[in-house]
Amino acid sequence: MNKKYRKPFIAGNWKMNMLASEVKPFMSELKANLPAERSCDVALCVPGPLVPAMVKAGRECKVSAGGQDCSQYAKGAYTGEVSALQLADLKAKYCIVGHSERRQYHAESDMLINAKAKILIENGIKPIICVGESLEQREMGLTMEHIAYQVKAALSGISSSELRKCVIAYEPIWAIGTGKTATADQAQEVCGEIRAIIRKMYGARSARAVQILYGGSMNAKNATELLAQPDIDGGLIGGASLKPVDFSVIVKATEQ
Ligand code: PEP
């Protein structure tokens, strides 16, 4: 679908890596490798304690800070949790929700992910909602069915004006952190299907506007081909976002 309606977006996911003291040197190297003027949005989603350092360093090179998860509750007796309001207060602009590692290791359900997306939107943070199939589901021919279920569940009760504040990331579980990237055709097929689902739910105008990212071993070598696909508006980058030069190459690949 015509990409002129959407701004490219490259988001890094540092997962549970890096220290606050490492943010500034990392960002200096990233800044040195990024074009000062660019047409895409860039964010780094970092562990909660690193958000303030990322907000500060990111201002220098137009990189937004994001969180990687938040509580579904507004506030209260939820030891260990971080609220959407707390992330907003720190000036985080994005927050990943429904990453497969959270679904897998923290038993996060689609209903929970939907609640987290809603509370983020309420607090002015854009959720990056992750969906993706396992290898077994792909091999059984269940990919589209599974993705449709996850997308509909994550967006349940979210209005079309709220959808504009959401980003969807297609991340096949078998490609995350494995070095095994989906082919450009496989990634395009699913991202195209996600846009078709959104068209059915919200209409053509919303489908045309929503940013859909691909994530799963995207790197400096394969980014150009993946980002050239008509329904892939950017990337959610894990491992390669920990290397400033590689991450900058991916950002520059959006300028094709
Ligand atoms: C991720 O964690 O969202 C991810 C895509 O990781 P990687 O790029 O390392 O596969």
Side-chain angles (χ1 to χ4, degrees), residues 11-15 96 99-101 130 169-173 175-180 214-219 235-241:
N13 173 14
W14 277 7
K15 311 196 187 198
I96 297 170
H99 191 281
S100 61
E101 287 153 17
C130 299
Y170 167 54
E171 297 210 307
I173 299 170
I176 297 177
T178 57
K180 198 174 169 202
Y214 167 77
S217 299
M218 192 187 274
N219 58 39
L236 181 55
I237 323 292
S241 74

Side-chain angles (χ1 to χ4, degrees), residues 64-140:
S64 304
Q68 299 175 0
D69 183 41
C70 74
S71 171
Q72 72 271 37
Y73 301 114
K75 62 187 271 193
Y78 303 104
T79 303
E81 294 285 78
V82 172
S83 74
L85 178 61
Q86 288 165 337
L87 287 173
D89 186 49
L90 293 177
K91 310 279 182 267
K93 191 168 171 196
Y94 298 92
C95 185
I96 297 170
V97 284
H99 191 281
S100 61
E101 287 153 17
R102 295 222 47 98
R103 292 180 189 256
Q104 193 182 342
Y105 308 138
H106 301 270
E108 292 205 355
S109 68
D110 291 291
M111 241 172 80
L112 179 69
I113 291 156
N114 173 246
K116 291 184 177 191
K118 285 177 174 161
I119 201 156
L120 284 165
I121 296 168
E122 269 170 41
N123 284 282
I125 296 184
K126 286 188 172 192
I128 301 175
I129 301 167
C130 299
V131 297
E133 82 286 4
S134 64
L135 188 58
E136 294 72 33
Q137 286 167 324
R138 175 159 283 268
E139 285 173 350
M140 286 168 72

